[in-house]
Amino acid sequence: SKIFYEAGTYDVMLFAKSKNGCIDSLIIEDAILVDTMSQVYMPNAFTPNGDGLNDEFKPIGYGYSDLDYTLQIFNRWGEKIFESNNFNEGWNGSFRNQLCSQGIYVYRLAVKLASNETKYMEGKLTLIR
């Protein structure tokens, strides 16, 4: 799901307790400046075996939008075997209703971050059966 964090400044609060039980605190106002927060990670392997863990290949992260989103998967011959414009839909390891063999595939990702910048990523992934 998409999560957007607000840009702005944030206070930092520190609470400390000594071994004798004395408690003190410190607040620094506007200590952290956040321009935008977005992180997108791509796993390097997945196991589409129906166990509910890593059954789909898709980005992991926060602060990105489903606008201008494209995930593509290619086989070793450069043939596009999967494409989605919905970040909730990942590749399940099949092509034309047939299970793809274990091996190395290539992904391309375009995703719009909370900063309104589009991030492009590509790399290799391993399908493990």
Side-chain angles (χ1 to χ4, degrees), residues 8-9 11 15-17 26-27 32 53 60 66 79 82 88 97 99-100 119 125:
T9 56
D11 299 342
F15 295 97
K17 183 177 180 181
L26 172 68
I27 298 174
I32 298 176
L53 302 170
I60 301 166
D66 56 355
E79 179 181 18
F82 176 81
N88 290 313
N97 295 320
L99 296 179
C100 293
K119 181 172 186 173
L125 68 115

Side-chain angles (χ1 to χ4, degrees), residues 28-92:
I28 302 174
E29 294 181 4
D30 300 330
I32 298 176
L33 172 64
V34 176
D35 184 14
T36 58
M37 293 180 69
S38 296
Q39 292 292 329
V40 178
Y41 304 100
M42 292 302 287
N44 60 7
F46 78 120
T47 56
N49 57 11
D51 68 354
L53 302 170
N54 290 324
D55 286 332
E56 287 188 327
F57 179 81
K58 61 183 176 181
I60 301 166
Y62 56 87
Y64 58 93
S65 169
D66 56 355
L67 302 173
D68 299 328
Y69 173 92
T70 303
L71 174 63
Q72 299 173 321
I73 308 294
F74 300 86
N75 64 19
R76 70 177 97 190
W77 298 282
E79 179 181 18
K80 183 170 36 173
I81 58 174
F82 176 81
E83 182 169 11
S84 177
N85 298 109
N86 177 350
F87 63 74
N88 290 313
E89 177 188 15
W91 180 45
N92 66 4

Side-chain angles (χ1 to χ4, degrees), residues 42-43 57 71-74 105-109 121-125:
M42 292 302 287
F57 179 81
L71 174 63
Q72 299 173 321
I73 308 294
F74 300 86
Y105 294 82
V106 174
Y107 71 84
R108 284 192 188 149
L109 175 69
M121 300 172 71
E122 62 180 51
K124 296 177 182 174
L125 68 115

